[in-house]
Structure formats: structure tokens, C-alpha cells
Amino acid sequence: MEQKIFVTRTSMPPYEEFAEMIKPLWNTHWLTNMGKYHQELEQKLREYLQVEQLSLMVNGHMSLEMAIQAMQFPEGSEVITTPFTFVSTTHAIIRNRLKPVFCDIKPTDFTIDESKMEALITDKTVAIVPVHVYGNICNVEEIGRIAAKHGLTVIYDAAHAFGETYKGKGIGSFGDASVFSFHATKVYNTIEGGAVASASPDLYQKLYNLKNFGILNENVIADIGANAKMNEFAAIMGLCNLRYVQDNIKIRKKKVQLYNEQLADLSCVRTPEFSQPDVVYNYAYYPVVFATAEYRDIVYDRLKEENIYSRKYFYPLTSDADCFGDRYSTCALDVARDISARVLVLPLYPDMDDDVIVEIAQDIHKISGQAGM
Ligand SMILES: *Cc1c(COP(=O)(O)O)cnc(C)c1O
């Protein structure tokens, strides 16, 4: 490949459209602090995501931190979560002075294994933080049942699930809250951004204060908040990009089908199915799983030599992050560890040439032939 191909490429609206939309800011000089466009985007995203409440934030990570903080769990409480995620999920728990308890994942869709969850519940457990991985949806029904039975809060990391629905309902309407990321690398972006969705006006109000230093009004500082507000430039980027996201998802779906066709006859590669019942997907990622960890690493290295930058996503498991040492004991994470060693996310974005997909697939055929996979 002459040009470097990265795992993703940020979707941007036409320049003139964005330029036209930011012009009024030079009249109002109102660039942040829950301005006009912040409010407009909150409303538009409530509709698009089919959720009752939505609080815009500066990024997905702060959305997770604020959502967890808003629940006011006692310090040191335990939170059941998955190690097969971006480290943000785990950091958000720990930065709230809570203890992550890692649960294994399912080999089928890589989401948290709800059948292994109840064994991890202790009298200190307060919440479950599952992740919809690569747009695969967690078993929201069973997780809801377990949470209700044990009185636990459920906060979904829905950073990979923008715009998805399950049984016709917005994916952000499950659990007590769901967190989205609008980072430049995601299906839908506001440059940097994120949001907490829920059905609770009370939570919306709490987050409104928390993201603005915990300030309730001119006289009352009610909470130890932070600064996590989305600014007006980001909100306008979001309003522009929202016009194109549905078309982009359609294009992504076609590219996923093309990849699947091109890789179908390779027995050493498992291609993604996106076939959970009643789910409408966003095709955010194209993850493949190789027969062995060795093959995965060979393909990763060889593609890189061809200027194709795939990602070992998610590797390592967050439970193995160096910064945690062995502070957080983990139960057997056999499936997570196995998948993490064999998974590779291939480049996928709407304005990617189909020829590039064909070439990447041919490269993988060639590499696997040479490596005797
Ligand atoms: C991107 C991502 C985040 C963090 O979102 P930012 O907007 O980058 O802060 C959290 N969790 C998962 C699973 C993600 O993919």
C-alpha cells in the first residue's frame, strides 16, 4: 500500500457546512457552558438514540466517571466489570475509589459472561459495568434480572454501540445509565465528546451539576464536581455529523459484507457475524479472531510492513495493566485472555476504498499461506 492505512479515519462533514454553522459564535461569543448548540445537540441525540435523558460531556471517559460518581457508592465498594475493554472503563471505576472485580467474557460475542457473574457478588458489590463490545450487545435481560435480584446498579459502557437498537429500543435505554463516546475515532464524533443516557431526570440534573464543578447555583456548591462540559464547537460538529451518520453506517455494513466475502474461505480466521437476534448494528469495527495467538501476531506485523495498521484491540486485558500491579485479584479469565491474544481489528471506515479491503484480504491470504496457517 502506498499510503498508510489506519484502523479508522475520522468522518468529517463538508467544510463549508461546518464553517457556516460556527459563524454565529463570532456574534454571540458564547463558546461553552451549556450554550445553544449544547442544548440543541442534547435534544437531537435524545431523539436519535431513543433515550429519555441525555447529558453531553467533554468525552466518553468523563461520562463514565461522572455517571459512576453520580451513583454515590460507598468508597471501596466492588463493581463487577469486564477486562475485555478499553482501559477507560476500568480507570473510571478505580478513579471513583471503587474496586473492579473482573468477570470473564463469552467466546461468541466477547461481552461479559452473565452466567459467571453471580459467583462474584459479595456483600460489598454495588454495581455492574458491562461493555457492548464492537457493537455486540450484552445480555441486557439477564443482567437486568441479576441486578434486580441483588439490588445492583447497572451502568453500560456503550461507547461501541452508538445508534444501535435492541428489540426496537435504543441501546442506551437499558440499565440505570449508558455511556457513549463521540471521540474522533468512533462511528459518530463531536471531535471529542461523550454522553450519559438514562431514563432519570434526577440523574440528568445531578450530571448537569457534576460536569460544572458541582455548582448548583450562585450560592451553593453541592458536589465535588469536575469540568466535563462539551463546548459549542464540538456540539456543532456533532450536529453536522449527525446528518451523515445513518448513511455512513449503511456504507460500513457493505464494507463488512465485502470483508466477510473476501475472508470466507480462510479457515484460520473467524470473521464477525453481527447476528444477535433483534439487534440493529452500527458496524463500528471489523474484528477477526485467528486460530492461534502466533498467527494473529504474524498477520499484525506483516500487514504493518505493507503500511496497513491493524489494532490488537483489546490487548492486553485491562486487568493486566501494569499500573494496577496485582492490586485487583481476578478470577479465571480464560476466555478473555484467549480472545485477547487472538483478536485483530482490521481497518474500517466509510470512505475506505473497496479495493483496499480486497487488497488487505489478499494480503491475509498470502500471509496465512506462507505461514502455513
Ligand atoms: C472510546 C472508548 C471509551 C472512552 O471514550 P473517550 O471519548 O475516548 O474518552 C470508553 N470505553 C470504550 C469501550 C471505548 O471504546
Side-chain angles (χ1 to χ4, degrees):
M1 212 62 73
E2 254 168 59
Q3 256 194 327
K4 285 182 180 175
I5 302 288
F6 295 105
V7 75
T8 191
R9 186 162 185 263
T10 301
S11 296
M12 293 171 79
Y15 168 73
E16 286 74 19
E17 193 177 322
F18 182 71
E20 198 54 41
M21 275 189 76
I22 58 173
K23 254 187 192 165
L25 298 179
W26 269 259
N27 295 326
T28 62
H29 288 236
W30 190 298
L31 304 190
T32 185
N33 287 7
M34 285 65 117
K36 175 176 182 244
Y37 299 100
H38 181 284
Q39 292 171 37
E40 194 179 325
L41 185 60
E42 279 194 347
Q43 191 47 41
K44 288 250 162 72
L45 285 175
R46 275 182 202 125
E47 289 159 22
Y48 188 86
L49 297 173
Q50 302 177 52
V51 294
E52 285 175 42
Q53 300 292 334
L54 182 127
S55 180
L56 279 177
M57 299 271 172
V58 68
N59 57 45
H61 179 78
M62 286 307 290
S63 307
L64 269 171
E65 279 202 18
M66 302 265 107
I68 296 169
Q69 189 187 349
M71 304 298 176
Q72 296 176 299
F73 300 123
E75 189 171 332
S77 300
E78 293 176 6
V79 176
I80 296 173
T81 188
T82 170
F84 193 70
T85 183
F86 185 47
V87 74
S88 167
T89 321
T90 311
H91 281 350
I93 294 166
I94 295 172
R95 288 171 57 85
N96 271 291
R97 298 171 183 265
L98 303 169
K99 187 182 161 201
V101 174
F102 296 105
C103 180
D104 207 357
I105 62 169
K106 291 172 287 187
T108 45
D109 60 21
F110 320 124
T111 63
I112 196 163
D113 188 341
E114 63 281 355
S115 73
K116 294 179 180 169
M117 222 178 248
E118 275 189 289
L120 302 173
I121 297 175
T122 71
D123 54 7
K124 282 192 167 173
T125 310
V126 290
I128 308 170
V129 177
V131 180
H132 302 303
V133 182
Y134 311 129
N136 289 325
I137 301 303
C138 300
N139 187 338
V140 290
E141 278 139 0
E142 185 60 12
I143 291 171
R145 193 193 63 76
I146 293 168
K149 181 175 159 196
H150 298 274
L152 307 176
T153 301
V154 181
I155 301 169
Y156 284 104
D157 181 338
H160 288 190
F162 180 85
E164 296 195 343
T165 61
Y166 175 58
K167 293 191 174 164
K169 288 171 70 178
I171 198 61
S173 58
F174 295 91
D176 296 279
S178 293
V179 169
F180 293 95
S181 163
F182 312 141
H183 185 258
T185 53
K186 305 281 154 100
V187 161
Y188 166 78
N189 84 84
T190 61
I191 310 172
E192 292 256 16
V196 182
S198 74
S200 165
D202 193 41
L203 178 61
Y204 177 83
Q205 195 54 49
K206 263 191 206 156
L207 292 168
Y208 190 94
N209 298 336
L210 277 178
K211 70 183 174 188
N212 190 32
F213 307 99
I215 295 170
L216 188 61
N217 60 43
E218 277 178 38
N219 303 312
V220 182
I221 300 163
D223 255 311
I224 308 167
N227 182 359
K229 307 179 296 283
M230 177 181 284
N231 73 61
E232 293 289 86
F233 281 85
I236 290 171
M237 187 68 159
L239 288 167
C240 284
N241 276 333
L242 201 54
R243 297 172 183 158
Y244 301 95
V245 67
Q246 229 145 9
D247 286 343
N248 282 342
I249 288 170
K250 278 190 204 133
I251 298 169
R252 282 174 176 278
K253 181 176 183 176
K254 290 214 181 93
K255 309 238 176 255
V256 164
Q257 285 164 343
L258 178 60
Y259 258 129
N260 280 352
E261 284 161 26
Q262 294 289 317
L263 293 171
D265 59 335
L266 264 185
S267 58
C268 63
V269 185
R270 189 179 123 201
T271 54
E273 285 163 21
F274 299 118
S275 61
Q276 292 171 307
D278 306 311
V279 176
V280 175
Y281 289 99
N282 65 12
Y283 305 94
Y285 299 93
Y286 190 78
V288 293
V289 179
F290 287 89
T292 70
E294 192 195 348
Y295 292 167
R296 190 275 303 267
D297 290 345
I298 290 172
V299 172
Y300 170 83
D301 289 338
R302 293 283 305 280
L303 285 178
K304 203 153 120 185
E305 286 164 18
E306 302 281 342
N307 264 344
I308 297 158
Y309 293 80
S310 59
R311 284 275 311 273
K312 297 176 189 178
Y313 192 62
F314 301 108
Y315 174 86
L317 297 180
T318 68
S319 50
D320 291 338
D322 295 305
C323 54
F324 305 146
D326 45 17
R327 248 173 299 161
Y328 308 107
S329 64
T330 55
C331 69
L333 297 171
D334 298 347
V335 178
R337 196 150 272 127
D338 175 47
I339 297 295
S340 173
R342 295 193 287 126
V343 73
L344 194 66
V345 174
L346 300 180
L348 177 67
Y349 42 90
D351 52 5
M352 187 175 178
D353 279 339
D354 284 354
D355 294 348
V356 174
I357 292 179
V358 172
E359 201 170 322
I360 292 172
Q362 279 171 354
D363 282 343
I364 294 175
H365 275 94
K366 200 173 71 195
I367 297 162
S368 54
Q370 288 166 352
M373 294 184 198

